[in-house]
Amino acid sequence: MNDALLTIRDLSVHYHTDRGELKAMRHVNMDVPGGSIVGVVGESGCGKSTLISSIIRLLASNAIIPCGSITFEGRDLLGLSREEMRRLRGDRISIVFQDPMSTLNPVLSIGRQMVDIQYRSSASRAHKIKRATEMLASVGISDPGSRLKQFPHEFSGGMQQRISIAMALQAEPALLIADEPTTALDATLEVQIIHLLKKLQTDIGCSILFISHHLGVIAELCDYVVVMYAGEVVEEGTTREVFHNPAHPYTERLLRCDPASIATKTRSLPTIPGEIPDLVTLPQGCIFKNRCEHVMTQCEHLVPAWIESHSGHFVSCHLAAKPGND
Amino acid sequence: MLFYLIKRLALGVVIVMLAVTLLFCMIHLVPGDPARILLGPRATPELIAGMSARMGLDQPLPIQILLFFGNLFRGDLGMDVITNRPVADMVFGQLPYTLWLIFTAIGFAMVIGIPLGCYSALHRNTLIDRVTGVLSVACITVPAFVVALYSLLIFAVTLNWFPAVGAGEQGNFWDQVRHIVLPALAIGLSWIGYLARLVRASMLEVMGENHIRTARAYGLPERVVVFRYALKLAVLPTVTVIGVGMGFLLSAALFTEIVFARPGIGKLIFDSITTRNYPVVMGSVLVSTVLFVISTTLSDLVNAWLDPRIRSSL
Ligand SMILES: Nc1ncnc2c1ncn2[C@@H]1O[C@H](COP(=O)(O)OP(=O)(O)OP(=O)(O)O)[C@@H](O)[C@H]1O
Ligand SMILES: [Mg+2]
């Protein structure tokens, strides 16, 4: 996929901690084709937020990127200067964060914030306010003109998330990153937000990198899905392929436990017995071996290769490599 | 909002009444007859009795207190027993000096302390941050009277840069400014350190909040992120602290006025206590307490003006 909008190759992110180097993300490869929606799914702590923070280069100050590259619209993001990166953010790449109730500035009005982020445009103030009003209307906020004067605490969580989406899409970016935009919301709101995102995505024609805990949401929204486990990508393919034909035991377990219906909301992924290995002292061999039902002798010492089990469907598991077991 | 103001007003009245009652009791407990001390050792018993009556000290304590509030209600703070001038005139004549001193001191602490705190927070763990940190703590721990005495010694006596005593010639603005520098430094120095620490801590906290990450994710220039998105939140605790700290500022001002022989409420209280001129003491303390109540209310209102969340909860 060389025409991909966003290409991540061999990307690792480590955090300096008191206990040593925490290897939060290791050798991740990923593509986001233009105009598509790619879902990233995985348990809490598997490195989803780390992944997106590294794309917009807003990682915590104790983070380092030991290797890898991130190419966006043909430019290597990791090689850009801070200033060049800042110019890209909010213009070509926008982001909707995880917790809607704390992502907006509490002491500035919504209108002020929506006008402020249009600082690149040379349009008049009246024009910028008009643009903000249109955006609020497009995410389904009634009476947008007067609501612009209000402050975040005067809106519900669901409305704040809509406002965040309106802000993120205001500049019509090429890539929208959404970090669990619906996790803090209840089920009906979640459905509404998903439909809203899908509609806006078709209107604007952008790509979305969609992070979620919730398989049902991914199935509903995404064209491609990337399954992450403990800082690694373990499986990747079209949503249809991965959901109907899961190749990694982790994905399989997730699907088996998931109610699969978007209306029945789960706060977190279905629980799988066992725990994510310690990311400071990583075990040898396969990262999933301590929780895998199909664990074999080679899983102990050998890291499984990244193989294509079907066309466009990749997995890292020894099972998939075994002849006659694709 | 209206309810809030009424509540604050009621609370203010209670605080003032408590303060006055407490002061009455303390005066009552101080050994020695005030009239006798005021008139000196050679006074006749008739003179002393007359003076006691003029100060209202011949009545039982509860009656004294009631009378005081009764007069207060009519806007009368009583009469100065020595000069026979209304206490209100004396107090309000001195008040501007004290207010001017306090505002200069705090203004000067804010102008230096807040930017210093911001700078330290944004350049955390750099050399300048560490040096500021040490200096701030040093400023906080040095008592105002030490600053007052040493600044007097160094800048007024030895270097002769600033005048040592008084408030400057009436109507001569420049002379008054020169007279206020050292006393304001004495009061404000610890506040510079205090505000610098406070702003640094709240700025660090705010800069770590999610909405700042959002502002950055929109590529807003760092200058806008810091000055428009973070600073407004970071100064909120400062406003509260200054409002509540008005009590400390007042007491520091009173003390400083005595050291620098500056006119003001502090000088007035000190002089009237040494002469046991109790009506003047009462009047000055009353006005200072009211000042304290006003300043805490004012800081709440400023906070409400800055923070819409507080505004809608008032
Ligand atoms: N600043 C940091 N310093 C040290 N460790 C960190 C830091 N940020 C994240 N981590 C660790 O990195 C790992 C990945 O965290 P990350 O926030 O990316 O997970 P996540 O998949 O987004 O989880 P969630 O679903 O709960 O949001 C976790 O083990 C976390 O504890
Ligand atoms: Mg996360």
Side-chain angles (χ1 to χ4, degrees):
Chain A
M1 277 187 275
N2 278 335
D3 56 341
L5 179 70
L6 178 79
T7 311
I8 297 175
R9 288 289 172 269
D10 196 37
L11 182 67
S12 298
V13 176
H14 297 181
Y15 291 108
H16 291 298
T17 68
D18 297 339
R19 296 191 303 126
E21 205 90 320
L22 189 146
K23 301 161 197 78
M25 238 174 71
R26 298 171 311 281
H27 309 292
V28 163
N29 295 303
M30 192 179 294
D31 290 293
V32 178
S36 67
I37 307 184
V38 176
V40 177
V41 70
E43 277 170 298
S44 187
C46 72
K48 304 185 296 295
S49 296
T50 303
L51 169 73
I52 61 159
S53 305
S54 61
I55 298 172
I56 56 167
R57 295 241 321 254
L58 284 178
L59 280 165
S61 55
N62 61 336
I64 52 158
I65 302 181
C67 63
S69 70
I70 304 173
T71 315
F72 173 76
E73 293 186 320
R75 298 213 274 170
D76 178 19
L77 295 189
L78 298 181
L80 294 184
S81 72
R82 282 165 66 116
E83 192 51 30
E84 286 168 322
M85 191 61 216
R86 186 180 69 70
R87 258 178 261 144
L88 222 55
R89 283 202 293 261
D91 188 32
R92 302 301 297 156
I93 306 180
S94 274
I95 184 159
V96 175
F97 285 104
Q98 205 163 351
D99 184 6
M101 307 293 267
S102 67
T103 47
L104 297 169
N105 190 298
V107 296
L108 298 175
S109 70
I110 298 297
R112 177 70 184 269
Q113 298 183 52
M114 292 186 78
V115 168
D116 274 357
I117 61 171
Q118 297 178 57
Y119 71 98
R120 295 178 174 95
S121 143
S122 56
S124 69
R125 196 180 151 75
H127 190 89
K128 289 179 180 176
I129 291 174
K130 186 163 158 281
R131 173 82 184 131
T133 317
E134 283 166 12
M135 281 315 293
L136 280 194
S138 76
V139 295
I141 295 212
S142 55
D143 194 13
S146 62
R147 301 224 77 170
L148 277 181
K149 296 187 191 72
Q150 292 189 310
F151 293 89
H153 72 276
E154 295 171 86
F155 294 87
S156 68
M159 281 169 124
Q160 289 191 38
Q161 194 61 287
R162 284 161 185 271
I163 294 167
S164 300
I165 293 173
M167 284 173 76
L169 293 177
Q170 193 168 237
E172 308 208 333
L175 176 65
L176 173 73
I177 301 174
D179 188 5
E180 308 194 30
T182 58
T183 304
L185 309 176
D186 67 48
T188 38
L189 278 176
E190 179 164 50
V191 180
Q192 289 175 12
I193 298 271
I194 297 304
H195 289 322
L196 178 69
L197 272 178
K198 189 130 199 167
K199 178 180 166 293
L200 292 172
Q201 187 256 345
T202 10
D203 290 353
I204 295 173
C206 61
S207 297
I208 301 182
L209 183 60
F210 187 90
I211 314 287
S212 185
H213 268 147
H214 193 184
L215 286 170
V217 175
I218 301 263
E220 176 88 7
L221 187 69
C222 302
D223 306 313
Y224 301 92
V225 58
V226 173
V227 183
M228 280 186 79
Y229 179 76
E232 288 177 12
V233 173
V234 293
E235 183 162 5
E236 181 195 313
T238 62
T239 309
R240 170 173 283 275
E241 252 295 309
V242 172
F243 275 61
H244 286 123
N245 207 358
H248 198 280
Y250 177 63
T251 319
E252 194 202 334
R253 289 292 292 273
L254 288 182
L255 287 169
R256 211 190 313 147
C257 311
D258 196 74
S261 153
I262 191 167
T264 48
K265 163 81 181 152
T266 44
R267 280 260 157 230
S268 56
L269 276 180
T271 42
I272 297 173
E275 273 172 30
I276 288 190
D278 181 17
L279 298 179
V280 175
T281 48
L282 289 165
Q284 273 197 318
C286 173
I287 189 82
F288 189 58
K289 65 182 181 190
N290 61 330
R291 296 167 83 180
C292 186
E293 293 171 311
H294 312 286
V295 63
M296 304 175 295
T297 42
Q298 69 255 51
C299 303
E300 281 302 326
H301 306 288
L302 233 63
V303 178
W306 185 239
I307 47 173
E308 191 164 12
S309 69
H310 282 86
S311 78
H313 183 176
F314 293 85
V315 65
S316 91
C317 180
H318 290 303
L319 279 177
K322 257 172 48 176
N325 189 347
D326 54 357
Chain B
M1 186 71 193
L2 189 67
F3 176 72
Y4 163 82
L5 280 180
I6 292 171
K7 204 171 67 184
R8 281 313 286 250
L9 198 70
L11 193 68
V13 170
V14 171
I15 291 176
V16 169
M17 286 174 78
L18 278 178
V20 168
T21 311
L22 203 69
L23 194 65
F24 262 107
C25 297
M26 277 162 65
I27 290 176
H28 197 72
L29 289 175
V30 172
D33 181 353
R36 185 186 300 275
I37 293 167
L38 183 70
L39 292 172
R42 274 181 291 172
T44 59
E46 296 82 65
L47 268 176
I48 291 172
M51 184 53 92
S52 279
R54 280 174 66 198
M55 289 204 275
L57 293 175
D58 51 346
Q59 309 278 350
L61 186 61
I63 303 290
Q64 283 181 33
I65 297 175
L66 279 180
L67 275 177
F68 182 83
F69 283 123
N71 288 338
L72 186 63
F73 202 66
R74 285 183 278 115
D76 180 7
L77 284 179
M79 283 299 198
D80 172 9
V81 286
I82 299 174
T83 62
N84 238 336
R85 288 168 54 206
V87 171
D89 285 2
M90 298 179 68
V91 174
F92 286 111
Q94 299 297 306
L95 189 62
Y97 290 105
T98 305
L99 287 183
W100 174 219
L101 177 61
I102 288 177
F103 287 135
T104 312
I106 200 69
F108 151 73
M110 277 162 69
V111 165
I112 302 176
I114 294 178
L116 219 55
C118 284
Y119 186 89
S120 296
L122 299 176
H123 300 85
R124 189 150 75 133
N125 295 337
T126 56
L127 185 67
I128 292 187
D129 176 33
R130 281 163 211 247
V131 171
T132 325
V134 172
L135 284 182
S136 303
V137 174
C139 286
I140 296 169
T141 45
V142 176
F145 75 89
V146 173
V147 184
L149 293 176
Y150 276 90
S151 63
L152 201 58
L153 271 178
I154 298 170
F155 297 110
V157 178
T158 312
L159 296 173
N160 210 3
W161 286 357
F162 296 102
V165 296
E169 204 181 307
Q170 203 88 55
N172 182 345
F173 179 73
W174 182 237
D175 192 41
Q176 292 183 351
V177 168
R178 275 169 39 85
H179 275 85
I180 212 164
V181 171
L182 293 184
L185 179 77
I187 302 174
L189 190 67
S190 60
W191 279 86
I192 296 178
Y194 194 34
L195 292 187
R197 291 270 85 186
L198 191 70
V199 169
R200 179 184 186 270
S202 54
M203 194 72 181
L204 277 179
E205 192 185 313
V206 171
M207 289 306 280
E209 280 171 11
N210 283 346
H211 56 85
I212 293 298
R213 186 187 55 183
T214 311
R216 290 197 169 129
Y218 283 111
L220 287 175
E222 198 60 18
R223 159 178 56 81
V224 176
V225 173
V226 171
F227 292 108
R228 196 176 303 164
Y229 282 68
L231 191 59
K232 205 173 165 191
L233 276 158
V235 296
L236 289 175
T238 310
V239 174
T240 310
V241 164
I242 291 177
V244 176
M246 203 61 179
F248 295 101
L249 273 167
L250 260 172
S251 54
L254 305 194
F255 181 80
T256 313
E257 282 167 4
I258 298 162
V259 173
F260 287 91
R262 262 181 76 84
I265 297 279
K267 191 82 175 25
L268 191 64
I269 294 183
F270 179 74
D271 291 346
S272 43
I273 286 182
T274 37
T275 54
R276 298 293 200 277
N277 193 347
Y278 285 128
V280 179
V281 178
M282 296 303 307
S284 321
V285 169
L286 181 84
V287 169
S288 316
T289 317
V290 170
L291 217 60
F292 173 72
V293 171
I294 291 178
S295 69
T296 46
T297 311
L298 218 59
S299 82
D300 274 6
L301 291 178
V302 171
N303 260 342
W305 171 62
L306 288 173
D307 189 342
R309 291 168 298 182
I310 299 178
R311 207 178 309 154
S312 55
S313 71
L314 280 190

